[in-house]
Amino acid sequence: MKINIIKGDITKIKVDIIVNAANTSLLGGGGVDGAIHKRGGKAILDECIKIRNKQGGCKTGEAVITTAGLLHAKHVIHTVGPVWNDGYNEEEKYLEHCYRNSMKLARAQKATSITFPNISTGIYRFPKYKAAKIAIHTVKNHPYVTEVLFLCYDEENYRIYKDILNENKRT
Ligand code: AR6
């Protein structure tokens, strides 16, 4: 598997699957969620509303899939990261589920490339180093999806991912 890191804006990437850090309502919000809905257009929200009407939103750690609308991708996978409280509310387990369930959905689509934002590390305040460790560990060696791109928006996350991947290369 190829794991790459880029610093930039996830809405500008050309890839099979773009993952969104959504909330349980699936109705959009700020951060990367806001950017994806804004650039992807109304088709994404329309499908989110349909899913919401059918199953009542999306639980923390779970993931759903929609069209990518106007984005340069085949689909958007919306996953809901945990809000970080004190670390004693199974936040790490839920974050791992986000990455695992997104990879599962991507595999079901026979997608070969997927790009993740740094789920939960913005508005939801998950510690960045811990989150990056979980992200890399969970996606590694997943069958079928051969290319994973971690899209870091801020410099701190970018450096953390670079350090962890370099560390992994050495060991
Ligand atoms: N491209 C890539 N990454 C981005 C972009 C972008 N355009 N914009 C922000 N990020 P956040 P969360 C990074 O807050 O913590 C929303 O309101 C950002 O720097 O978007 O999971 C949802 O509706 C950070 O590293 O998501 C939820 O209510 C990462 O994306 C809530 O925020 C995640 O930050 C979810 O919070």
Side-chain angles (χ1 to χ4, degrees):
M1 171 189 278
K2 244 173 42 192
I3 297 183
N4 288 315
I5 343 158
I6 292 189
K7 190 165 171 271
D9 181 344
I10 205 166
T11 62
K12 303 204 171 136
I13 299 294
K14 202 173 164 205
V15 69
D16 283 353
I17 307 270
I18 290 176
V19 177
N20 180 21
N23 60 56
T24 54
S25 79
L26 293 177
L27 295 177
V32 69
D33 195 12
I36 284 174
H37 278 282
K38 193 170 167 200
R39 251 181 193 265
K42 197 173 164 293
I44 298 179
L45 184 62
D46 287 346
E47 284 195 17
C48 282
I49 290 170
K50 273 191 200 144
I51 293 168
R52 196 181 138 85
N53 290 341
K54 210 163 88 187
Q55 65 175 54
C58 182
K59 290 193 184 116
T60 302
E62 294 184 0
V64 299
I65 189 162
T66 67
T67 173
L70 303 171
L71 300 175
H72 307 294
K74 293 181 186 153
H75 298 279
V76 170
I77 289 176
H78 308 260
T79 187
V80 181
V83 177
W84 180 268
N85 284 310
D86 49 14
Y88 293 103
N89 294 288
E90 301 190 293
E91 291 95 329
E92 295 182 40
K93 181 187 92 182
Y94 284 116
L95 189 62
E96 189 188 319
H97 288 181
C98 287
Y99 285 96
R100 202 187 313 140
N101 286 326
S102 298
M103 291 296 273
K104 251 195 221 164
L105 277 181
R107 176 185 170 172
Q109 293 297 324
K110 298 194 165 51
T112 55
S113 59
I114 185 167
T115 180
F116 286 97
N118 309 131
I119 302 165
S120 280
T121 67
I123 293 163
Y124 285 175
R125 306 179 318 271
F126 203 106
K128 290 178 179 173
Y129 183 79
K130 243 187 227 302
K133 278 271 194 190
I134 292 167
I136 292 168
H137 180 77
T138 309
V139 305
K140 243 183 174 180
N141 304 321
H142 197 279
Y144 302 110
V145 182
T146 51
E147 213 180 317
V148 176
L149 178 65
F150 289 108
L151 210 296
C152 302
Y153 196 62
D154 58 273
E155 182 64 27
E156 193 188 350
N157 261 317
Y158 181 67
R159 279 179 192 283
I160 289 171
Y161 273 80
K162 268 208 134 157
D163 286 350
I164 295 173
L165 287 174
N166 284 338
E167 235 170 65
N168 286 357
K169 262 188 220 155
R170 281 198 297 269
T171 55

